[in-house]
Amino acid sequence: MDTTVTDAQWRAQQATLIATVKRELRTVTSVVLGERFRSIDERLSEDGREHFALQDTQGGSANLWLDAIPMVSGMIANTMTNTTTDQYVVQISDRLPSEFLTRVLAHEVGELIAARDRSSQGLAPIRENLLNQEADIGDRRELSSQDHGRIAELNWLAARASAAELPEPQRTEARADLSALIDQCGMRPVSTTAETESYEAESEAADTRRYVSWDFFSYEAKHLVATLARPIEHLDPTDAAVLQASRDAALRAERQVEAFIGRREVTMPMPGYDQNGLPLPRDQLEAAASQWAEYRAQVSARTAQAVEGHLAQGQFPSRRVVIGGGASLTGRDPDALLIDGAGRWHLDPGRGIVQSADQDRDLAEWMGVDPHSTVERPGDRLPIHAVRVWEDQLATRGDVVNGHARLRLGRNGELLTEIQRLGEDGKEAAPPLWVACQGTPSIATGLTPEVVPGMPRGDFAVESRAEAVRLIGDRLRELEGQGLTGAGEMRAWLTQAERGGADARTVLGALKSSPLMDALTAGLGPDKARIGNCFGALDSTAKWESARNEAPGRVLLGDEVAENRFDAHQAEHWVVAGSGGTGVANAEIILTQNLDARVTIIGSPPPPALEHQVQFPEMQKKYGEGGEGRLTFIQARVGAIETYFDEQKRKTCFQIPYVDGAGENERQQVLRADGYVTSLGRTNPLPPALQVLANEVRDRGGEISGALQFDKDDQYIGYGLTFTVGDKEHQVDVDGAASWQLPREIFAPESGLQRQLNTMGARGLPAETGNAAPGFAPIARQSALRARAVAAAEAGDVNAIRRLSAVPARWQRPERGPETRTEAGTGTEPPGAGPGNTIPLREKVPLSEHAPPRAKAAEAEQDATPPATPKPAPDKGVPGSDLWQLGVPQGRPSRPPGPRQQPHQPPPGHQRPEPGLGMGD
């Protein structure tokens, strides 16, 4: 039987879940909030997305954005909490059976309200769950937000069990579900009364949990918990039989899971914790960052020395290679050689990440860090020193070289890595090191280069001089094939000039003076505009390069500001071209470093996500109108940079042509300043680590192809490239922020892939979260998922990594329309054996290396593919016997457990063993 789930079925299922949310959310929310509930109204955003405005009787309000999307197997829901602007995004897995939806909604609403309440009081979240059968209570008496989610479930189930208007079977089922949930919450002993010691300990813990939770129970929940939270021997025979059936089903499912995935001990230290498993104190972060940087430098020196030793013996060390770091270090393979220049966050002079600890709380799940421990209040921005500590700890889990690297072809077509170490001054130190690549190298070199002002946009956009030269070279190849004299020679010169770093004015002059100029555009039809735009791109680049030569230090790329490679005192009035996240961050750095500077940000209206971050509103308030008045915004379209000599200041300054208004109100304007920063967006080239390899492959007549990469759950994990030369084929994977900018020379703009990727990223991370797909926390998640997929592939799972030519249609938003109801046989519920769709579900799924030692039923859903793992059959005559589907019991901690052994924090003494380079000799 064909069990493939079609795109139409996935979208229908998503539409069904969304329609059910719209129908049931008011009822669920009123039960969860109880007397606090005031109203909830459906709203429509300017871009057509539906959401809900919630108000309580205490004057609090929040916007709820709900969606049903592809999620990691075993994950049934996720809530992203933006307490900065009270935006809460609740995402439901599109695998979730509809009958569980209201209960899941109740949990998520209860959790987000608890997170909001604590944040509004300036209180950090409670790290450990209390309502968990396996939790060690000790003297703890506070409930986590996830505990409040459990209580919301209990209240919802109690309301259904007590609702006289519901049919008897539904009330009975709700009562059974509630009884099983009491087990999960540890509110009744599970040992028999004959097991005296364990029974008494569990009874005492159960009493404590009920006492702590009591004031949060609804009237109906208090009654039912008092009735059902008793030892199974003391229950009514019917309730006892129902409870025993659910326990038996849960036990069968758990045993199947343990047999399938086995047990895995947690030994890897968690970043940012001390040797006792406690987060580093905030006042020690700066000192710890310096010490970890020193330790990382020593590990780098030893690693480089070991490589040098093998090279001196005439041997190429053979290593798995990872180039680049940042948040992608969550997926760092400890056995691989990491080459990373410790850039971006190690150099950024700003205060830290622009999101708050609340907004980046998922770092606890994916990176194993506690973001709230690094801030005074949960709404504060994550400090830069914490990020540096985290990254350096992850980097030094294996061999690392502080430096830059690029892939090269060897004499016989083998794949090599050329490594340029960084000296103490931050510059590359000769000679390079060489390593032979083992397996598939991974590239995560961060954000791509920025666009130069004046680049042609629109249908025939050209975003960089490199793209312009490539497109003109392709046209010259066509002309050469047609036998046009001089076309081949001009193409060869053009290629050499670009690789040799010739300035754009030289390239442009050579082309314009060439007798081939007319032939370049002859007979092209619509493509003539693109070739014309190539010359426009070269002209804009030439103006940019000239301005940099005329005013060194005052004409900057945004990344030069972000990496502190500039002096803010070089100018009094800085213009930042571009109003996105990078431009705003650059303006903040300038205003902070030069207290006399003025900054004008000019560009399109700021993207919506900025309004929901911590940085942007604070910056407007402090520096804008009503504050210091040193920050101004102009909404306009920016032209190419122009220079003039200011007689009064006796130096070269800049005039920036721009157009504001639209239609009849459109006006040509000019802005003048003595400092210029461009942050107009990112180009889409190959990562720098791959550009030389691409040239070498093409020079040898080879080919390059690419594909998007998704795991079996349709989660994006980067893109893969294949370099083919003769009979050799080399695979390279691109991860991290760079993976969200597809190289246009491989993925043609006409394919629409970049647009698909952007749309998917925006659906997975709506602007209201204050985050974006290439952001720090989302990349930490992506790279952790990639690491898991790679491990599964190496273990023999051929479906662990899927190479696709398009974003799965499952990521397309279902069309808005009348409510969709699921009927038997209609196919709107995905079959039980869809891709990655297997057995039990749980709320949040940590990676296996961060998971609690005891395997839970839900974890089989991450890895098994039907029918490899059979589902335990529920007893149709006993309500609640199918509760294994919700992962009973769950026992999820709120953060990864502390490892058995931690390195000393600050970093260990310099006694680390010599790098185990695994030379393969």
Side-chain angles (χ1 to χ4, degrees), residues 599-617:
V599 175
T600 300
I601 297 178
I602 182 170
S604 303
L610 287 186
E611 299 288 350
H612 298 291
Q613 294 174 354
V614 183
Q615 178 197 42
F616 187 57

Side-chain angles (χ1 to χ4, degrees), residues 499-514:
R499 294 181 186 178
D503 63 86
R505 193 170 300 280
T506 299
V507 172
L508 189 60
L511 286 168
K512 287 187 173 181
S513 62
S514 168

Side-chain angles (χ1 to χ4, degrees), residues 554-574:
R554 291 186 288 117
V555 185
L556 304 168
L557 295 168
D559 288 338
E560 293 176 292
V561 176
E563 295 176 359
N564 208 23
R565 292 183 279 129
F566 86 117
D567 180 0
H569 294 85
Q570 287 283 315
E572 298 173 358
H573 180 198
W574 290 89

Side-chain angles (χ1 to χ4, degrees), residues 132 154 241 253 288 315 431 482 534 567 596 643 747 779 785 799 817 919:
N132 185 316
L154 288 166
Q315 302 173 354
Q482 296 169 11
C534 289
D567 180 0
D596 297 319
T643 61
F747 302 92
I779 289 302
L785 290 177
N799 297 314
M919 298 297 178

Side-chain angles (χ1 to χ4, degrees), residues 297-453:
Q298 294 183 6
V299 175
S300 171
R302 283 198 295 269
T303 303
Q305 185 179 18
V307 175
E308 285 178 323
H310 281 262
L311 292 173
Q313 299 173 22
Q315 302 173 354
F316 271 137
S318 179
R319 293 300 307 269
R320 300 177 69 165
V321 170
V322 175
I323 302 174
S328 67
L329 289 170
T330 53
R332 195 252 198 272
D333 178 358
D335 296 325
L337 171 61
L338 170 69
I339 306 104
D340 175 38
R344 189 59 184 100
W345 296 113
H346 284 78
L347 304 175
D348 194 309
R351 287 172 46 199
I353 290 179
V354 298
Q355 289 84 23
S356 69
D358 274 347
Q359 289 170 316
D360 279 348
R361 68 175 188 159
D362 284 349
L363 284 172
E365 182 176 351
W366 302 107
M367 188 175 267
V369 302
D370 182 2
H372 288 95
S373 71
T374 69
V375 295
E376 184 175 350
R377 295 172 57 89
D380 291 346
R381 291 166 62 177
L382 294 182
I384 198 74
H385 299 300
V387 176
R388 292 171 181 170
V389 168
W390 298 340
E391 291 189 5
D392 285 345
Q393 284 186 268
L394 290 167
T396 53
R397 284 179 171 172
D399 298 326
V400 60
V401 173
N402 289 342
H404 304 135
R406 55 186 182 181
L407 299 182
R408 303 286 304 271
L409 283 181
R411 294 177 181 173
N412 300 314
E414 67 273 29
L415 193 60
L416 304 175
T417 302
E418 180 186 12
I419 304 169
Q420 295 286 351
R421 291 164 288 178
L422 297 180
E424 293 183 2
D425 57 359
K427 297 180 180 180
E428 293 183 351
L433 303 175
W434 293 86
V435 171
C437 294
Q438 187 183 98
T440 301
S442 179
I443 310 296
T445 45
L447 295 170
T448 54
E450 288 163 304
V451 173
V452 167

